[in-house]
Coordinates of all heavy atoms in Angstrom, one line a residue:
P87 N -1.4 -31.7 -59.0 CA -1.3 -32.7 -60.0 C -2.0 -34.0 -59.7 O -2.4 -34.7 -60.6 CB 0.2 -33.0 -60.1 CG 0.9 -31.8 -59.4 CD -0.1 -31.3 -58.5
D88 N -2.3 -34.2 -58.5 CA -3.0 -35.4 -58.1 C -4.5 -35.3 -58.2 O -5.2 -36.3 -58.2 CB -2.7 -35.8 -56.7 CG -1.2 -36.1 -56.5 OD1 -0.5 -36.4 -57.4 OD2 -0.7 -35.9 -55.3
L89 N -5.0 -34.1 -58.4 CA -6.5 -33.9 -58.4 C -6.9 -33.4 -59.8 O -6.3 -32.6 -60.5 CB -6.9 -32.7 -57.5 CG -6.5 -33.0 -56.0 CD1 -6.8 -31.8 -55.2 CD2 -7.4 -34.2 -55.5
P90 N -7.9 -34.0 -60.3 CA -8.4 -33.6 -61.7 C -9.1 -32.2 -61.5 O -9.8 -31.9 -60.6 CB -9.5 -34.6 -62.0 CG -9.9 -35.2 -60.7 CD -8.7 -35.1 -59.8
G91 N -8.7 -31.3 -62.4 CA -9.2 -29.9 -62.3 C -8.4 -29.1 -61.4 O -8.8 -27.9 -61.2
G92 N -7.4 -29.5 -60.8 CA -6.5 -28.7 -59.9 C -7.1 -28.7 -58.4 O -8.0 -29.5 -58.1
A93 N -6.5 -27.9 -57.6 CA -6.9 -27.8 -56.2 C -7.4 -26.4 -56.0 O -6.9 -25.4 -56.5 CB -5.6 -28.1 -55.4
S94 N -8.4 -26.4 -55.1 CA -9.1 -25.1 -54.8 C -9.3 -25.1 -53.3 O -9.7 -26.1 -52.7 CB -10.4 -25.0 -55.5 OG -10.9 -23.7 -55.3
A95 N -9.0 -23.9 -52.7 CA -9.2 -23.8 -51.2 C -9.3 -22.3 -50.9 O -9.0 -21.4 -51.7 CB -8.0 -24.4 -50.5
R96 N -9.8 -22.0 -49.7 CA -10.0 -20.6 -49.2 C -8.9 -20.3 -48.2 O -8.5 -21.1 -47.3 CB -11.3 -20.5 -48.5 CG -12.5 -20.5 -49.5 CD -13.8 -20.1 -48.9 NE -13.8 -18.7 -48.5 CZ -14.0 -17.6 -49.3 NH1 -14.1 -17.9 -50.6 NH2 -14.0 -16.4 -48.8
L97 N -8.3 -19.1 -48.4 CA -7.3 -18.5 -47.5 C -8.0 -17.3 -46.9 O -8.0 -16.3 -47.6 CB -6.0 -18.2 -48.1 CG -5.0 -17.5 -47.3 CD1 -4.5 -18.4 -46.1 CD2 -3.8 -17.1 -48.1
L98 N -8.5 -17.4 -45.7 CA -9.2 -16.3 -45.1 C -10.3 -15.7 -46.0 O -11.4 -16.4 -46.1 CB -8.3 -15.1 -44.7 CG -7.2 -15.5 -43.7 CD1 -6.3 -14.4 -43.4 CD2 -7.8 -16.0 -42.4
W99 N -10.1 -14.7 -46.7 CA -11.2 -14.0 -47.5 C -11.0 -14.3 -49.0 O -11.7 -13.7 -49.9 CB -11.2 -12.5 -47.3 CG -9.8 -11.9 -47.5 CD1 -9.2 -11.6 -48.7 CD2 -8.8 -11.7 -46.5 NE1 -8.0 -11.2 -48.5 CE2 -7.7 -11.2 -47.2 CE3 -8.8 -11.8 -45.1 CZ2 -6.6 -10.8 -46.5 CZ3 -7.7 -11.4 -44.5 CH2 -6.6 -10.9 -45.1
T100 N -10.1 -15.2 -49.4 CA -9.7 -15.3 -50.8 C -9.8 -16.8 -51.2 O -9.4 -17.7 -50.5 CB -8.2 -14.9 -51.0 OG1 -8.0 -13.6 -50.4 CG2 -7.8 -14.9 -52.4
E101 N -10.4 -17.0 -52.4 CA -10.5 -18.3 -53.0 C -9.3 -18.5 -53.9 O -9.0 -17.7 -54.8 CB -11.8 -18.4 -53.8 CG -12.0 -19.8 -54.5 CD -12.4 -20.8 -53.5 OE1 -13.0 -20.5 -52.4 OE2 -12.1 -22.0 -53.7
V102 N -8.5 -19.5 -53.7 CA -7.3 -19.8 -54.4 C -7.4 -21.1 -55.2 O -7.8 -22.1 -54.6 CB -6.0 -19.8 -53.5 CG1 -4.8 -20.1 -54.3 CG2 -5.9 -18.6 -52.7
T103 N -7.2 -21.1 -56.5 CA -7.3 -22.3 -57.3 C -6.0 -22.4 -58.1 O -5.5 -21.5 -58.7 CB -8.5 -22.2 -58.3 OG1 -9.7 -21.9 -57.6 CG2 -8.6 -23.4 -59.1
V104 N -5.4 -23.6 -58.0 CA -4.2 -23.9 -58.7 C -4.4 -25.1 -59.6 O -4.9 -26.2 -59.1 CB -3.0 -24.3 -57.7 CG1 -1.8 -24.7 -58.4 CG2 -2.7 -23.1 -56.8
V105 N -4.1 -25.0 -60.9 CA -4.2 -26.0 -61.8 C -2.8 -26.3 -62.4 O -2.2 -25.3 -62.9 CB -5.2 -25.7 -63.0 CG1 -5.3 -26.8 -64.0 CG2 -6.6 -25.4 -62.4
R106 N -2.4 -27.5 -62.3 CA -1.0 -27.8 -62.7 C -1.0 -29.1 -63.5 O -1.6 -30.1 -63.1 CB -0.1 -28.0 -61.5 CG 1.3 -28.0 -61.8 CD 2.1 -27.9 -60.5 NE 3.2 -28.8 -60.6 CZ 3.8 -29.4 -59.6 NH1 3.5 -29.1 -58.4 NH2 4.9 -30.2 -59.8
S107 N -0.4 -29.0 -64.7 CA -0.2 -30.2 -65.5 C 1.2 -30.2 -66.0 O 2.0 -29.4 -65.6 CB -1.2 -30.0 -66.7 OG -0.8 -29.0 -67.5
A108 N 1.5 -31.2 -66.8 CA 2.9 -31.4 -67.3 C 3.3 -30.2 -68.2 O 4.5 -29.8 -68.3 CB 3.0 -32.7 -68.1
D109 N 2.3 -29.6 -68.9 CA 2.6 -28.5 -69.8 C 2.6 -27.1 -69.2 O 3.4 -26.3 -69.5 CB 1.6 -28.5 -71.0 CG 1.5 -29.8 -71.7 OD1 2.4 -30.6 -71.5 OD2 0.6 -30.0 -72.5
A110 N 1.7 -26.8 -68.3 CA 1.5 -25.5 -67.7 C 1.0 -25.5 -66.3 O 0.6 -26.6 -65.8 CB 0.6 -24.7 -68.6
A111 N 1.0 -24.4 -65.7 CA 0.4 -24.2 -64.4 C -0.3 -22.9 -64.4 O 0.1 -21.9 -65.0 CB 1.5 -24.2 -63.3
S112 N -1.4 -22.8 -63.6 CA -2.1 -21.6 -63.5 C -2.5 -21.4 -62.0 O -2.7 -22.3 -61.3 CB -3.3 -21.5 -64.4 OG -4.3 -22.4 -64.0
L113 N -2.6 -20.1 -61.7 CA -3.0 -19.7 -60.4 C -4.2 -18.7 -60.5 O -4.0 -17.7 -61.2 CB -1.9 -19.1 -59.6 CG -2.2 -18.4 -58.3 CD1 -2.6 -19.5 -57.2 CD2 -1.0 -17.6 -57.7
E114 N -5.3 -19.0 -59.9 CA -6.4 -18.0 -59.9 C -6.8 -17.6 -58.5 O -6.9 -18.5 -57.6 CB -7.6 -18.7 -60.6 CG -8.8 -17.8 -60.6 CD -10.1 -18.5 -61.2 OE1 -10.0 -19.6 -61.7 OE2 -11.1 -17.9 -61.2
V115 N -6.8 -16.3 -58.2 CA -7.2 -15.8 -56.9 C -8.4 -14.9 -57.1 O -8.4 -14.0 -57.9 CB -6.0 -15.0 -56.4 CG1 -6.3 -14.4 -55.0 CG2 -4.7 -15.8 -56.3
T116 N -9.4 -15.2 -56.4 CA -10.7 -14.4 -56.4 C -11.1 -14.1 -55.0 O -10.9 -14.8 -54.1 CB -11.8 -15.2 -57.1 OG1 -12.0 -16.5 -56.4 CG2 -11.5 -15.5 -58.6
S117 N -11.7 -12.9 -54.9 CA -12.2 -12.4 -53.7 C -13.4 -11.4 -54.0 O -13.3 -10.6 -54.9 CB -11.1 -11.7 -52.9 OG -11.6 -11.2 -51.7
T118 N -14.4 -11.5 -53.2 CA -15.5 -10.5 -53.4 C -15.2 -9.1 -52.9 O -15.5 -8.2 -53.6 CB -16.8 -11.0 -52.7 OG1 -16.5 -11.2 -51.3 CG2 -17.3 -12.3 -53.3
V119 N -14.5 -9.1 -51.8 CA -14.1 -7.8 -51.3 C -12.6 -7.9 -51.1 O -12.1 -8.8 -50.5 CB -14.7 -7.5 -49.9 CG1 -14.2 -6.2 -49.3 CG2 -16.2 -7.5 -50.1
P120 N -11.8 -6.9 -51.5 CA -10.4 -6.9 -51.4 C -10.0 -6.6 -49.9 O -9.5 -5.5 -49.6 CB -9.9 -5.8 -52.3 CG -11.0 -4.9 -52.4 CD -12.2 -5.7 -52.3
W121 N -10.2 -7.6 -49.0 CA -9.9 -7.4 -47.6 C -8.4 -7.1 -47.3 O -8.2 -6.4 -46.3 CB -10.4 -8.6 -46.8 CG -11.8 -8.7 -46.8 CD1 -12.6 -9.6 -47.4 CD2 -12.8 -7.8 -46.1 NE1 -13.9 -9.4 -47.2 CE2 -14.1 -8.3 -46.4 CE3 -12.6 -6.7 -45.3 CZ2 -15.2 -7.7 -45.8 CZ3 -13.7 -6.1 -44.8 CH2 -15.0 -6.6 -45.0
G122 N -7.5 -7.6 -48.1 CA -6.1 -7.2 -47.9 C -5.9 -5.7 -48.1 O -5.2 -5.1 -47.3
L123 N -6.5 -5.1 -49.1 CA -6.4 -3.7 -49.3 C -7.2 -2.9 -48.2 O -6.7 -1.8 -47.8 CB -6.9 -3.3 -50.7 CG -6.1 -3.8 -51.8 CD1 -6.8 -3.4 -53.2 CD2 -4.7 -3.3 -51.8
V124 N -8.3 -3.4 -47.8 CA -9.1 -2.8 -46.7 C -8.2 -2.8 -45.4 O -8.2 -1.8 -44.7 CB -10.4 -3.5 -46.5 CG1 -11.1 -3.0 -45.2 CG2 -11.3 -3.3 -47.7
G125 N -7.6 -3.9 -45.1 CA -6.7 -4.0 -43.9 C -5.6 -3.0 -44.1 O -5.2 -2.4 -43.1
A126 N -5.0 -2.9 -45.3 CA -3.8 -2.0 -45.5 C -4.3 -0.6 -45.3 O -3.6 0.2 -44.7 CB -3.2 -2.2 -46.9
A127 N -5.5 -0.2 -45.8 CA -6.0 1.1 -45.6 C -6.3 1.4 -44.2 O -6.0 2.5 -43.7 CB -7.3 1.3 -46.5
A128 N -6.8 0.5 -43.5 CA -7.1 0.7 -42.0 C -5.8 0.9 -41.2 O -5.7 1.8 -40.4 CB -7.9 -0.5 -41.5
L129 N -4.8 0.1 -41.5 CA -3.5 0.3 -40.9 C -2.9 1.6 -41.2 O -2.3 2.3 -40.4 CB -2.5 -0.8 -41.3 CG -2.6 -2.1 -40.5 CD1 -1.8 -3.2 -41.1 CD2 -2.2 -1.9 -39.0
F130 N -3.0 2.0 -42.5 CA -2.4 3.3 -43.0 C -3.1 4.4 -42.2 O -2.3 5.3 -41.7 CB -2.7 3.4 -44.5 CG -2.1 4.7 -45.1 CD1 -0.8 4.9 -45.2 CD2 -3.0 5.7 -45.5 CE1 -0.3 6.0 -45.7 CE2 -2.5 6.8 -46.1 CZ -1.1 7.0 -46.2
V131 N -4.4 4.5 -42.1 CA -5.1 5.6 -41.5 C -4.8 5.6 -40.0 O -4.6 6.6 -39.4 CB -6.6 5.5 -41.8 CG1 -7.3 6.5 -40.9 CG2 -6.8 5.8 -43.2
T132 N -4.7 4.4 -39.4 CA -4.5 4.3 -37.9 C -3.1 4.8 -37.5 O -2.9 5.5 -36.6 CB -4.7 2.8 -37.4 OG1 -6.0 2.4 -37.8 CG2 -4.5 2.7 -35.9

Side-chain angles (χ1 to χ4, degrees):
D88 300 335
L89 300 172
S94 183
R96 290 190 65 79
L97 174 65
L98 299 176
W99 54 80
T100 308
E101 182 75 28
V102 180
T103 304
V104 176
V105 179
R106 195 169 137 205
S107 65
D109 303 347
S112 70
L113 172 68
E114 180 183 354
V115 179
T116 57
S117 179
T118 55
V119 176
W121 289 109
L123 294 177
V124 170
L129 274 171
F130 180 70
V131 169
T132 302

